Amino acid sequence: MSVGSDRLILYVGNRNYSSWSLRPWLAMRWAGLKFDTVEIELGQPGYGVQQVADVLAVSPTGTVPVLHAGQTKIWDSLAICQYAAENARDGVSLWPQERSIRAHAWSISAEMHSGFGPLRQDLPMNILRRCPPQPWRPQTQACIARVEQIWTDCRAAYADAGPWLLGQRSIADAIYAPVATRFRTYGVTLSAGARAWCDTVLNDADFLEWEDASVPESWDSSGTVVIDGLYAARKEGALS
Ligand SMILES: N[C@@H](CCC(=O)N[C@@H](CS)C(=O)NCC(=O)O)C(=O)O
């Protein structure tokens, strides 16, 4: 559980809902780092205004994810992903080696990290939920189209190098993984190229471990009650 002598503890939110938590958790796993995961229940008083006491006890921003590396605290999902990239075990690169491809990876990762508000609002991550397709607000539809374009362009450019967005698995895949779950949850129809990448990330062994540890609850981050009957159907194999 260390980099050097530092014990690594990654504090995350509810696995079913916390898209920001999933990203660095995958990056840490893919980096080959040994770390403890501590899940904090977000459905508590103070949620939404960064005042959940259990989160404030470990995070200076009142948000998860936050990584404790010995005495050092690293908050914000992208910063933790970068920490994982810097400390990845020998032979593992979490950013592409080639300069122009790496710049592409940075661009699409930053675009996701800093944008897509309507998508986040209307399609909150709920890994275990399945909904029928529905019409979206124009601004949300525009976000969906932009993400699909990003994925389709990546697959067209880098398919020869491997099945991930930039060919080889990178932080960009971790950054977009929650969006793949959202599109599955809400039944968004995608191009063949975009769908192929979703299949790759949704079948990743580490993602599957996170998914298996996700628990359906009567609380979700959008304030609505989840339809837990759908979860039961999934567990019985009725849903993919
Ligand atoms: N920009 C931050 C966002 C983190 C964030 O908003 N996390 C949510 C959980 S998914 C949170 O902790 N919310 C607590 C609250 O709103 O009270 C990051 O990338 O880590």
Side-chain angles (χ1 to χ4, degrees):
M1 271 154 278
S2 65
V3 168
S5 59
D6 287 338
R7 182 182 182 206
L8 300 178
I9 306 173
L10 183 63
Y11 294 89
V12 300
N14 307 48
R15 292 190 193 223
N16 193 37
Y17 307 125
S18 184
S19 57
W20 294 115
S21 300
L22 170 58
R23 295 173 168 121
W25 189 89
L26 286 175
M28 298 273 292
R29 276 300 189 86
W30 294 349
L33 293 169
K34 294 195 185 311
F35 62 101
D36 289 329
T37 304
V38 176
E39 189 171 329
I40 299 178
E41 166 62 45
L42 291 175
Q44 300 191 48
Y47 177 74
V49 287
Q50 295 81 50
Q51 294 298 319
V52 173
D54 290 346
V55 178
L56 282 169
V58 294
S59 168
T61 54
T63 61
V64 282
V66 60
L67 176 66
H68 289 201
Q71 297 303 308
T72 306
K73 291 181 183 160
I74 303 136
W75 59 94
D76 196 283
S77 54
L78 196 51
I80 302 168
C81 287
Q82 188 58 20
Y83 180 92
E86 271 198 15
N87 292 287
R89 70 174 154 76
D90 288 350
V92 175
S93 286
L94 288 188
W95 292 116
Q97 300 284 333
E98 205 275 314
R99 189 184 294 261
S100 67
I101 303 177
R102 192 161 63 246
H104 192 174
W106 287 343
S107 296
I108 63 173
S109 298
E111 183 177 348
M112 183 76 240
H113 191 66
S114 62
F116 296 106
L119 179 77
R120 297 182 201 288
Q121 196 179 341
D122 293 356
L123 291 78
M125 189 171 93
N126 190 329
I127 292 177
L128 299 174
R129 191 177 186 187
R130 299 293 183 274
C131 304
Q134 55 187 288
W136 301 107
R137 295 185 292 154
Q139 56 270 49
T140 307
Q141 191 57 51
C143 290
I144 293 171
R146 174 62 192 150
V147 169
E148 185 174 19
Q149 188 67 54
I150 290 169
W151 294 352
T152 305
D153 289 350
C154 281
R155 295 313 304 137
Y158 309 117
D160 288 349
W164 300 89
L165 285 176
L166 286 307
Q168 300 299 304
R169 194 169 64 178
S170 77
I171 284 173
D173 299 294
I175 296 282
Y176 280 92
V179 188
T181 78
R182 288 168 151 129
F183 287 178
R184 181 178 63 176
T185 291
Y186 299 98
V188 174
T189 306
L190 296 170
S191 71
R195 170 58 51 206
W197 173 75
C198 287
D199 288 346
T200 296
V201 75
L202 294 176
N203 285 297
D204 175 76
D206 291 306
F207 170 77
L208 290 172
E209 187 180 320
W210 176 281
E211 181 182 47
D212 277 351
S214 300
V215 177
E217 292 150 274
S218 60
W219 171 89
D220 87 4
S221 58
S222 66
T224 54
V225 173
V226 290
I227 303 164
D228 288 339
L230 292 176
Y231 171 74
R234 172 185 170 274
K235 281 290 183 195
E236 287 156 15
L239 296 170
S240 62

